[in-house]
Amino acid sequence: MATIKEVAELAGVTPTTVSNVLRDRGRVGTATRERVLNAVAAKGYRPNLNARALVERRAPTLALMLGCITNPFYPEFTLQTNNAARRHGRFLLVCNTDYEPDGGSGFLAEVAGSLSDGVLVANTGSLQVDELKSIQATGTPVVISVWEFPDVDPGIPCVAFDSHKAGYIATDHLLDLGHSRIGALVGSEKNGIHGGRYKGFCDALRARKVKHLKTDARFGTDSYQGGFDAALDLLTSTPDLTAIFVSNDLPALGALNAAASLGFNVPEDLSIVGITNIELTSQSRPALTTVAIPTAEMAEKSVDLLIKLASNDPDAPAMVRTADPVLIKRASTAAPKSRATK
Amino acid sequence: MATIKEVAELAGVTPTTVSNVLRDRGRVGTATRERVLNAVAAKGYRPNLNARALVERRAPTLALMLGCITNPFYPEFTLQTNNAARRHGRFLLVCNTDYEPDGGSGFLAEVAGSLSDGVLVANTGSLQVDELKSIQATGTPVVISVWEFPDVDPGIPCVAFDSHKAGYIATDHLLDLGHSRIGALVGSEKNGIHGGRYKGFCDALRARKVKHLKTDARFGTDSYQGGFDAALDLLTSTPDLTAIFVSNDLPALGALNAAASLGFNVPEDLSIVGITNIELTSQSRPALTTVAIPTAEMAEKSVDLLIKLASNDPDAPAMVRTADPVLIKRASTAAPKSRATK
DNA sequence: CTGTTAGCGCATTCAA
DNA sequence: TTGAATGCGCTAACAG
């Protein structure tokens, strides 16, 4: 690689001038500028981003922490984050924490120190907030990109969507269709990451005075297989359900296939609704009704917030709220048969 | 952030000693070592990776170029690549080229110069080989991670799998089941990226003296929707096909749903086989029979090769070949009905 | 075993 | 409008 010095020599100027030309700082005569540009082209010169980062005390990359890029939500989120980062001239360092022996703490510490100008956290699962705070304390800004609880301040700058409302909307949709015996598949502990979504479900039922039996809920893992297994279990033990609320799309897709494998016709025999609106929901058979979360908005706002923090903008908010979730009506929900034939 | 100098002062040693302790270079007394470690902990010190990269003339990151992380193959490949990179102590910079105004060339140039120690290219679609060569010429090693043609040297170090054999195996499977009227959905031009797979298809048919009509093939785009649309078209105009060979899983999944929407029962009325074995193939209904490509192996070997090149290992090969593709028999293929009822 | 010196490639003073 | 000096934080080479 050519260095700035070589280019400067070829152009008959000093490195300072080359640097000024390359960064459009003005203060350079047209003729000189021309000469420099030619020299740059001739040498195929590219500035060394590490050296620049070192002297500017800011890195050109942002780090995105996520559990595993393999979970379909993440690629979509990563793409949006990447694009937002690119708009700010940054690169994105993608950090899978799931396969790190220490759950990602070391990862975080290494990356946060110098490689990246800030850290976006998409998974609050494995990474503890305390850990994030200690990173923050070293001077590297941290933003929680996907925070489910707009009413709870995690103590770290975050972008929050209303998970309670998402659960509520999904459930309201089922109630509107006339369902009254609705099961719930939750991709976490009751008070875990999907706790807000589940609470929205419960509150929607309560608002219509529909009873929710403990036995109609399953708490498990947020995965396709998790949803599949839980649905198998739920539908086997409670076959008279006419609808299932699932706290996330991926397990909802699992539930969809589990239902089919048990001989249920979706949506005739059983309605299923998810949350998130990942791409796959429009590729399933039937396409999955879901409640869309503002993924792109979260990604953008996260990056914006992180950039603000990185530049010590004093009015960087502690929490940014997104637009409300919205129902995406597709083909996996319909009125219950019992009612239609009544 | 604390600097090495501060730590050194606190420990009463020089930066060199701190550096040596942190990198386990030996040459340090136990007592000193202890003092340094304490000072490091006390200050919460983390080495500045940029500074280190600058002086060591090697970056801690590897760049992975791909079209769009949203294509389900990429997350899986990215994960494997990431894990391999981590084993070498590197971080992974993920570069989506699809949304770059220049198709990724600038991206590549910036990243390759200094931010990363080498570039892995998973998409040979948009990026031209010439461009890769010019990057390589600047001294940054480049590896094509997913090369389809083991018999063709792209002129860049690469990891190749036998795409022809993949197509051949998929087709042989259909022939073995007794199909003789087989359609083809190809996710590229005839001589494009999936050309090897298609040639494998043709050669398998020819080997059994089964005729392949031009009208039974469609060349299009490598996407879910592409497969869906092409299958719709193909099945509408040629409903007497009993099987379809699809050059990639994603369009195969589209074809699966297109077939269902036309009232075909898969596999009773129609068999469908794909190539790659992405995770989704086991989550479709029916699960998709496919020919597995050694994704993890390619990722690992790519990283290994890149690392070799980065360290100027003289016996880094120009091409690494992977194990052969292997048939994954699932539920989307069966003997043709006509034959069963004959 | 530990310290000293030098410099990686660049941007930022300040001087001319 | 341009140049010279300085140092970002770290490691390498050598000296002691």
Side-chain angles (χ1 to χ4, degrees), chain B residues 23-44:
Chain B
R23 291 176 303 147
D24 278 320
R25 298 290 289 276
R27 351 177 166 193
V28 179
T30 321
T32 318
R33 189 185 147 78
E34 202 63 28
R35 284 215 317 286
V36 168
L37 256 21
N38 286 338
V40 166
K43 289 275 183 187

Side-chain angles (χ1 to χ4, degrees), chain B residues 17-338:
Chain B
T17 303
V18 176
S19 181
N20 283 334
V21 169
L22 256 40
R23 291 176 303 147
D24 278 320
R25 298 290 289 276
R27 351 177 166 193
V28 179
T30 321
T32 318
R33 189 185 147 78
E34 202 63 28
R35 284 215 317 286
V36 168
L37 256 21
N38 286 338
V40 166
K43 289 275 183 187
Y45 170 75
R46 295 279 158 187
N48 183 318
L49 263 29
N50 280 316
R52 181 179 284 176
L54 186 59
V55 64
E56 282 186 335
R57 298 156 160 289
R58 50 170 240 156
T61 68
L62 264 27
L64 174 61
M65 312 291 298
L66 36 79
C68 183
I69 187 73
T70 270
N71 177 328
F73 171 72
Y74 288 131
E76 299 181 25
F77 189 75
T78 301
L79 175 62
Q80 302 296 339
T81 307
N82 172 75
N83 291 355
R86 298 295 293 145
R87 267 178 249 129
H88 288 271
R90 311 299 180 102
F91 300 96
L92 199 65
L93 210 49
V94 176
C95 306
N96 281 271
T97 57
D98 276 3
Y99 297 84
E100 296 294 308
D102 59 2
S105 348
F107 213 144
L108 200 57
E110 282 191 279
V111 162
S114 43
L115 270 191
S116 73
D117 219 18
V119 180
L120 258 15
V121 181
N123 59 331
T124 6
S126 54
L127 254 26
Q128 301 307 323
V129 169
D130 283 352
E131 215 160 346
L132 300 180
K133 283 187 183 165
S134 82
I135 293 296
Q136 213 182 24
T138 70
T140 306
V142 177
V143 167
I144 297 180
S145 305
V146 186
W147 185 247
E148 305 242 339
F149 314 100
D151 301 326
V152 180
D153 182 357
I156 300 270
C158 64
V159 176
F161 74 94
D162 193 338
S163 64
H164 182 273
K165 192 166 281 180
Y168 201 103
I169 291 173
T171 311
D172 243 7
H173 170 60
L174 296 175
L175 292 167
D176 286 344
L177 288 170
H179 294 274
S180 55
R181 188 72 195 280
I182 306 176
L185 259 35
V186 184
S188 75
E189 307 283 290
K190 185 171 173 180
N191 294 309
I193 184 72
H194 289 174
R197 307 178 187 197
Y198 177 61
K199 191 156 185 308
F201 165 79
C202 294
D203 289 348
L205 292 185
R206 195 168 304 129
R208 303 256 195 128
K209 304 205 163 40
V210 173
K211 225 165 66 183
H212 171 44
L213 300 168
K214 271 233 166 72
T215 50
D216 291 355
R218 293 290 181 282
F219 299 89
T221 54
D222 180 22
S223 65
Y224 175 86
Q225 195 62 44
F228 190 95
D229 294 343
L232 231 45
D233 175 36
L234 181 64
L235 288 171
T236 307
S237 57
T238 322
D240 53 336
L241 295 174
T242 65
I244 303 183
F245 159 85
V246 192
S247 68
N248 211 7
D249 284 342
L250 201 52
L253 292 170
L256 198 64
N257 277 356
S261 75
L262 289 177
F264 285 85
N265 262 314
V266 176
E268 293 81 5
D269 305 335
L270 182 77
S271 285
I272 296 181
V273 62
I275 292 180
T276 306
N277 193 31
I278 59 176
E279 259 187 53
L280 290 179
T281 54
S282 58
Q283 299 174 4
S284 63
R285 217 173 57 244
L288 189 76
T289 294
T290 188
V291 175
I293 276 171
T295 309
E297 185 189 357
M298 301 185 83
E300 272 173 46
K301 292 196 165 162
S302 298
V303 171
D304 289 349
L305 179 53
L306 190 61
I307 297 278
K308 262 191 185 163
L309 291 165
S311 55
N312 292 310
D313 190 325
D315 45 51
M319 182 185 290
V320 176
R321 288 181 180 74
T322 67
D324 275 343
V326 18
L327 179 73
I328 309 288
K329 174 88 187 73
R330 293 210 183 87
S332 69
T333 51
K337 216 172 16 189
S338 54

Side-chain angles (χ1 to χ4, degrees), chain A residues 84-339:
Chain A
R86 296 296 292 146
R87 267 179 249 126
H88 289 272
R90 312 298 182 100
F91 301 96
L92 201 63
L93 211 50
V94 176
C95 306
N96 281 271
T97 56
D98 275 4
Y99 297 84
E100 297 294 308
D102 58 2
S105 348
F107 214 147
L108 200 56
E110 280 191 281
V111 163
S114 43
L115 269 191
S116 73
D117 218 18
V119 179
L120 258 15
V121 180
N123 59 333
T124 7
S126 54
L127 253 27
Q128 302 307 323
V129 170
D130 283 352
E131 214 158 347
L132 300 180
K133 283 188 182 165
S134 81
I135 293 296
Q136 215 182 21
T138 69
T140 305
V142 177
V143 166
I144 298 180
S145 304
V146 187
W147 185 247
E148 305 244 340
F149 314 99
D151 301 326
V152 181
D153 181 357
I156 300 270
C158 65
V159 176
F161 74 96
D162 194 337
S163 65
H164 182 273
K165 192 166 280 179
Y168 202 103
I169 291 173
T171 311
D172 243 9
H173 170 60
L174 295 176
L175 292 167
D176 285 346
L177 288 170
H179 293 275
S180 55
R181 189 70 195 284
I182 306 176
L185 258 37
V186 184
S188 74
E189 307 284 289
K190 185 171 175 180
N191 295 309
I193 185 70
H194 288 173
R197 308 178 184 197
Y198 178 60
K199 192 158 182 308
F201 166 78
C202 293
D203 288 349
L205 291 185
R206 196 168 303 127
R208 304 257 194 129
K209 303 204 163 39
V210 173
K211 227 164 68 181
H212 172 44
L213 300 168
K214 272 236 167 72
T215 49
D216 292 354
R218 293 290 182 282
F219 300 88
T221 54
D222 181 21
S223 66
Y224 174 87
Q225 197 60 45
F228 190 96
D229 294 343
L232 230 46
D233 174 36
L234 182 64
L235 288 171
T236 307
S237 57
T238 322
D240 52 338
L241 295 174
T242 65
I244 303 183
F245 160 86
V246 192
S247 67
N248 213 6
D249 284 343
L250 201 53
L253 292 171
L256 198 65
N257 277 357
S261 77
L262 288 175
F264 286 85
N265 260 315
V266 177
E268 293 79 6
D269 305 337
L270 182 76
S271 286
I272 296 182
V273 62
I275 291 182
T276 305
N277 194 31
I278 60 176
E279 258 187 54
L280 290 180
T281 53
S282 57
Q283 300 175 1
S284 61
R285 219 172 56 244
L288 189 74
T289 295
T290 188
V291 175
I293 275 172
T295 308
E297 186 189 355
M298 302 186 81
E300 273 175 43
K301 292 195 165 163
S302 298
V303 172
D304 289 349
L305 179 53
L306 190 62
I307 297 278
K308 264 191 185 166
L309 290 165
S311 55
N312 291 310
D313 190 326
D315 45 51
M319 182 184 290
V320 175
R321 288 180 180 77
T322 68
D324 276 342
V326 19
L327 179 72
I328 308 289
K329 174 90 186 71
R330 293 207 183 88
S332 70
T333 52
K337 216 171 17 188
S338 53
R339 192 199 199 201

